[in-house]
Amino acid sequence: MPANHPLLLRQLKRLDVDPAGPPPTAAQWPQFLARVSRAYTEADQERYLATRSQEIAAREMDDVCRRLADAQRIAGLGHWAFSTVGDAGHWSEECFRILGMPRSAPALNYRKLLKQVHRADRPLVQDRIDAALHQGEQFETEFRLLRANGEIRWVQVIGKLAEDGDGKGSRLHGTVVDVTRRKLVELRQEEIEAALRESEAHFRALVEQAADSFYVHDFEGRFIDVNQRGCDCLGFSRGELLSMSLADIDLDLTIRSVKNLLGSLSAGTAVALESRYRRKDGSIFPVEIRVGPIDIGGQRHLLALVRDVTERRELQDQLQHLAYHDPLTDLPNRAMFNRHLTHALIQGQRYNKGVAVLFIDLDRFKNINDTLGHDAGDRLLQEIARRLTTSLRGGDLVARLGGDEFVVLLEEVTDAGHVSQVARQILTALIKEFPLDGQMIHITASIGISTFPEDGIDELALMKHADVAMYRAKEAGKNNFKFYSEQMDMHFGAQLALESDLRRALERKELLLYYQPKVETQSGRITGVEALVRWQHPRLGLLAPEQFISLAEETGLIVPLTEWVLREACSQNCAWAAQGLPAMNLAVNLSALLLADENLPVNVSAMLRETGMDPGLLELEITESMVMHNTGKTMAILLGLQERGIRIAIDDFGSGYSSLSHLKQFAIDIIKIDRSFIADIPGSQIDEAIADAIITMGKNMNIVVVAEGVEIKEQVQFLRSRGCDEIQGFFFSEPLPAQDLSRLLQRNVAGVLKN
């Protein structure tokens, strides 16, 4: 061992030997060597022991480090340290794992580490580090780190400044933990809670703004909660309602209903029911309720959704009323009448009481619609409904079946006399004049009557038989009533068959024209003819107009029939002219339906051009009643015809209700005195005066006057003496087919017509 060996020097010092002093003497040297040897042995032992302790300490330290690393890895806890004066830094293995960096990567200092922090979190981390550096505060924060692969991890960092002996900090150290999983759970929970709060807020807003009332109450009926609609609906404040219970507002709530309700709710399902609620002001309104169980704070309550159905009930009632009432007159309709009739028949069978059905059809109502228009017709129907209602007993039922058809139901009928009395009351009430569009209208009706049980035991039979009786009343002259009899069925069946045949008559060319001449009174010269239709029926033979014209008017077949007559007659008149016979005026009766057509002047002109007939030879005959209605429209149509050269004649003059002013207003060309005023002359002073007055008026107004129904020579002499322009009747000729009339015209030209 060298003399300057540290261990030897330390041992010499321990022996109080000064290495720099004088060496030992010879006498002292053995003792000195023994002492040195002993000291060396102790030093060697000390050195050995020191070396051994270091090895043990190193192994223990390594073991501790391994356990610490394992603990950090298991706990996910990383340790780090940064120098505040340089770039030195220390990272534990767990730090590298958390950062997603390889172990061989150099440790980062805190400035470089900031670049790994999520941009949004950098200000927070910078503030915390600055506070630790400058104020010595321990910090704890959570932020997001960006791994090298772009993955984002949440970490929790706890750090503090380590102080030196002089109290200055030169090292920042702490721990880091990956809290991504926990943070995601927390964030998810926060999102869920935020969504829940938002959902609750939305639900509450919806509940508050809902059109329905929401009531929460316990099983005793005490209110727990209510929305604003529920308060507004009842007129109570929220505080008032929360101090009340269902029994205070629900009129139909009973102990029994509550028990039934609770029993239904025991299964946990909602229940729908109807009730009536009372408002604060005492008014009552219907509600629909849907109630079901709800859990609030662990306690079961009931949630009731209540809807005010007042408007819907009113609409339902209105729809129900419309379903069983006529919209124009507000009378019961056919459906409601059938229900009442069925019930009346059941009661009649049970208690042996009579029932009567009165089928009412207005007379000539179609003429009013065609002339005055449907608006006027509707107003008349409303007036008819009012009159029918006021003329009946309170227990009697009147209904409108449609159009101008009404029906009356009489219950507890004892005899036919009572039914007849009711029918007369109805006819009397209807015939009273009614002002309509500036004119006084008189309406009549035909009534058919059937009775239970004589005429039928079910509603179909009674309605059918009353309808049949009504048609017989019309055929009997209208404005009357008829009771049903079995013989009527045969007649009704015949009428149906006749209608069916009439619809095919034109196609089968079964119609033909007869012509009756009109003669100049003074000279006896035939000046014109009137075209009259006949029907050559394949089974019934030749039918006169009165046997089918009314049927044609009722069915609307009068329109094509009149058009056929007009075209056929014009063609025949042109054929006579082609034979060299003198030009003659042609008279054709015009139906009310055609007169209501605004296109009539144009259509007639087209027909005249088609047949080649001179418009000045055509005379269109209308009745007085046809010019009484809708005078403005009628005047325009008549003027349109006259402007085209066509002349207008009033047939059966004196039998209607028109005033003399109509003659001037419509510029009539011809008037034909009704045959009823000619039949009793000479002899009847009244008829003579009327005929004389009409002739005189015609001369003064420059109107051609024609007398109809002239049958005897004395009538001809009277009319000739009064200056009547033309005569028509059997005295000269009955209506003749075209060929026979041709021969008559030839004889008339030759001057052989008898005087």
Side-chain angles (χ1 to χ4, degrees):
M1 180 182 294
N4 60 350
H5 191 281
L7 182 57
L8 179 59
L9 293 177
R10 190 162 56 251
Q11 294 296 334
L12 291 175
K13 185 177 181 180
R14 186 179 298 172
L15 295 173
D16 296 328
V17 177
D18 185 2
T25 64
Q28 296 172 335
W29 189 252
Q31 185 180 3
F32 174 75
L33 288 175
R35 291 174 59 190
V36 170
S37 178
R38 188 169 56 251
Y40 178 79
T41 301
E42 293 174 355
D44 186 60
Q45 291 178 350
E46 182 180 351
R47 185 185 65 181
Y48 172 79
L49 292 176
T51 301
R52 182 66 174 171
S53 297
Q54 289 177 358
E55 292 176 355
I56 294 174
R59 286 197 301 271
E60 290 178 352
M61 180 61 70
D62 290 340
D63 186 54
V64 169
C65 288
R66 283 194 302 272
R67 288 199 299 266
L68 179 59
D70 290 341
Q72 288 180 346
R73 180 177 53 79
I74 295 172
L77 179 66
H79 179 264
W80 54 270
F82 295 133
S83 172
T84 62
V85 295
D87 292 336
H90 165 75
W91 293 88
S92 67
E93 291 186 8
E94 188 63 20
C95 288
F96 285 98
R97 188 192 65 78
I98 292 174
L99 287 174
M101 298 172 63
R103 182 68 181 85
S104 59
L108 303 175
N109 60 31
Y110 80 93
R111 290 181 181 83
K112 294 181 180 179
L113 179 63
L114 281 177
K115 295 181 180 180
Q116 302 296 114
V117 178
H118 194 283
R119 185 181 298 274
D121 296 340
R122 287 178 188 175
L124 172 64
V125 176
Q126 183 67 63
D127 290 343
R128 297 297 173 85
I129 292 177
D130 289 345
L133 291 175
H134 301 296
Q135 301 174 14
E137 296 180 357
Q138 177 176 324
F139 68 90
E140 179 178 349
T141 185
E142 294 179 353
F143 55 88
R144 288 164 290 181
L145 282 176
L146 294 176
R147 285 185 168 183
N149 61 1
E151 181 184 3
I152 297 176
R153 305 295 293 181
W154 278 93
V155 295
Q156 181 189 54
V157 175
I158 301 175
K160 187 177 182 181
L161 187 66
E163 296 182 355
D164 296 335
D166 57 2
K168 295 182 179 181
S170 61
R171 189 166 56 93
L172 191 66
H173 68 102
T175 59
V176 59
V177 179
D178 188 336
V179 294
T180 302
R181 181 175 298 179
R182 191 250 307 162
K183 195 66 178 180
L184 291 178
V185 172
E186 291 178 355
L187 292 176
R188 179 59 179 166
Q189 186 64 29
E190 290 178 1
E191 291 177 359
I192 294 174
E193 292 176 355
L196 182 60
R197 289 192 298 270
E198 183 179 2
S199 177
E200 290 176 349
H202 288 171
F203 177 74
R204 189 67 190 182
L206 290 174
V207 168
E208 290 298 332
Q209 298 175 11
D212 293 338
S213 300
F214 285 70
Y215 301 104
V216 179
H217 54 82
D218 59 20
F219 283 86
E220 300 297 326
R222 292 185 294 268
F223 288 111
I224 305 300
D225 198 3
V226 60
N227 68 343
Q228 186 60 43
R229 174 63 179 172
C231 299
D232 297 340
C233 185
L234 294 172
F236 292 101
S237 67
R238 179 182 177 86
E240 289 174 327
L241 276 177
L242 295 183
S243 64
M244 299 167 59
S245 67
L246 278 176
D248 297 321
I249 62 170
D250 195 325
L251 297 181
D252 297 331
L253 183 66
T254 63
I255 299 300
R256 181 177 180 181
S257 64
V258 172
K259 290 182 178 179
N260 293 337
L261 177 63
L262 294 179
S264 302
L265 292 173
S266 60
T269 57
V271 176
L273 61 152
E274 297 180 352
S275 187
R276 295 172 299 155
Y277 275 11
R278 181 193 292 112
R279 296 187 180 92
K280 186 176 182 179
D281 60 9
S283 60
I284 299 172
F285 62 99
V287 294
E288 278 187 356
I289 307 171
R290 188 169 183 83
V291 59
I294 185 174
D295 188 281
I296 300 178
Q299 294 184 350
R300 282 170 60 85
H301 294 82
L302 296 177
L303 172 62
L305 279 65
V306 180
R307 175 170 296 180
D308 183 347
V309 293
T310 301
E311 292 184 2
R312 192 177 74 187
R313 289 287 179 83
E314 291 176 351
L315 179 59
Q316 289 175 345
D317 293 342
Q318 182 180 1
L319 293 176
Q320 180 78 2
H321 184 82
L322 291 176
Y324 291 101
H325 287 79
D326 172 53
L328 177 63
T329 63
D330 203 38
L331 291 176
N333 60 11
R334 184 186 298 270
M336 187 174 183
F337 180 82
N338 289 339
R339 291 177 59 183
H340 280 267
L341 178 57
T342 301
H343 181 266
L345 294 179
I346 294 174
Q347 294 295 103
Q349 291 175 346
R350 180 175 301 173
Y351 300 107
N352 195 27
K353 293 182 179 180
V355 177
V357 174
L358 285 71
F359 200 104
I360 304 170
D361 187 89
L362 303 182
D363 299 328
R364 293 180 290 273
F365 177 77
K366 187 173 179 60
N367 292 340
I368 295 177
N369 267 344
D370 294 339
T371 55
L372 297 184
H374 288 279
D375 290 341
D378 288 346
R379 294 197 302 274
L380 180 59
L381 289 174
Q382 291 171 340
E383 173 63 16
I384 295 299
R386 188 192 65 80
R387 293 184 182 185
L388 288 174
T389 302
T390 56
S391 64
L392 299 174
R393 302 174 303 179
D396 300 332
L397 178 68
V398 57
R400 182 188 177 209
L401 300 183
D404 62 341
E405 294 180 343
F406 297 83
V407 62
V408 172
L409 174 63
L410 303 180
E411 299 186 53
E412 299 184 4
V413 174
T414 55
D415 54 55
H418 168 65
V419 180
S420 299
Q421 181 181 359
V422 173
R424 292 190 186 94
Q425 290 175 354
I426 292 174
L427 294 177
T428 302
L430 295 183
I431 203 173
K432 295 178 181 179
E433 63 181 9
F434 175 66
L436 192 64
D437 287 354
Q439 302 187 48
M440 301 305 296
I441 302 299
H442 296 266
I443 195 73
T444 61
S446 300
I447 303 176
I449 304 172
S450 63
T451 59
F452 166 84
E454 294 81 8
D455 301 329
I457 59 174
D458 59 69
E459 57 271 17
L460 293 178
L462 288 175
M463 291 294 290
K464 174 186 174 183
H465 293 160
D467 191 20
V468 170
M470 182 272 295
Y471 277 104
R472 292 305 303 270
K474 280 190 177 296
E475 293 173 359
K478 303 180 177 62
N479 193 30
N480 61 23
F481 63 90
K482 291 288 184 180
F483 282 87
Y484 170 79
S485 64
E486 293 183 358
Q487 291 76 15
M488 291 181 179
D489 267 340
M490 294 184 291
H491 176 80
F492 186 71
Q495 286 294 101
L496 289 177
L498 190 65
E499 178 184 343
S500 177
D501 292 342
L502 182 59
R503 292 185 182 277
R504 294 190 292 268
L506 285 172
E507 301 174 3
R508 297 175 177 178
K509 298 182 179 181
E510 296 173 355
L511 298 179
L512 63 156
L513 289 181
Y514 277 46
Y515 300 90
Q516 187 174 30
K518 291 192 298 181
V519 179
E520 190 175 63
T521 307
Q522 300 300 329
S523 66
R525 181 176 60 90
I526 297 177
T527 57
V529 295
E530 180 181 356
L532 301 171
V533 66
R534 298 290 188 269
W535 181 9
Q536 187 63 54
H537 195 279
R539 297 189 314 274
L540 304 177
L542 188 64
L543 300 181
E546 56 268 18
Q547 294 177 277
F548 63 89
I549 287 297
S550 61
L551 180 62
E553 290 177 345
E554 292 176 4
T555 58
L557 294 173
I558 192 66
V559 173
L561 189 150
T562 304
E563 292 175 348
W564 176 86
V565 169
L566 187 60
R567 179 177 285 102
E568 187 72 13
C570 290
S571 298
Q572 182 59 56
N573 199 27
C574 292
W576 284 327
Q579 295 174 12
L581 295 173
M584 291 185 301
N585 296 321
L586 174 65
V588 177
N589 290 284
L590 196 64
S591 71
L593 287 177
L594 279 174
L595 185 59
D597 185 1
E598 297 177 351
N599 297 320
L600 179 64
V602 176
N603 294 338
V604 173
S605 294
M607 190 178 300
L608 290 171
R609 289 193 301 271
E610 177 186 339
T611 59
M613 179 174 163
D614 182 2
L617 299 178
L618 181 61
E619 300 173 2
L620 294 180
E621 296 186 1
I622 61 177
T623 63
E624 288 183 85
S625 61
M626 292 166 61
V627 301
M628 289 177 60
H629 308 298
N630 200 4
T631 56
K633 181 179 179 180
T634 304
M635 180 185 297
I637 294 175
L638 294 180
L639 288 177
L641 292 169
Q642 289 178 320
E643 288 173 355
R644 289 165 171 79
I646 301 167
R647 296 193 296 170
I648 305 299
I650 292 186
D651 195 14
D652 301 330
F653 185 80
S655 63
Y657 298 97
S658 66
S659 64
L660 296 179
S661 64
H662 287 140
L663 297 178
K664 180 179 180 181
Q665 182 180 6
F666 290 100
I668 301 300
D669 301 295
I670 304 167
I671 55 176
K672 301 179 73 172
I673 304 175
D674 187 71
R675 65 182 64 249
S676 63
F677 300 117
I678 304 300
D680 294 332
I681 61 173
S684 173
Q685 295 181 354
I686 296 177
D687 289 344
E688 289 180 3
I690 292 175
D692 192 13
I694 294 175
I695 294 171
T696 302
M697 178 192 65
K699 288 183 176 295
N700 293 335
M701 300 181 65
N702 197 27
I703 297 176
V704 176
V705 179
V706 181
E708 293 184 292
V710 179
E711 298 181 354
I712 59 177
K713 184 176 182 179
E714 289 77 11
Q715 292 172 342
V716 175
Q717 292 173 345
F718 173 83
L719 294 170
R720 184 177 293 166
S721 66
R722 297 303 191 273
C724 183
D725 297 303
E726 295 178 346
I727 300 172
Q728 182 179 355
F730 284 5
F731 177 76
F732 297 99
S733 174
E734 62 182 358
L736 299 172
Q739 293 181 353
D740 294 345
L741 186 63
S742 296
R743 291 189 290 269
L744 178 62
L745 290 174
Q746 292 172 355
R747 291 197 304 271
N748 182 254
V749 171
V752 297
L753 184 67
K754 60 181 179 180
N755 296 317

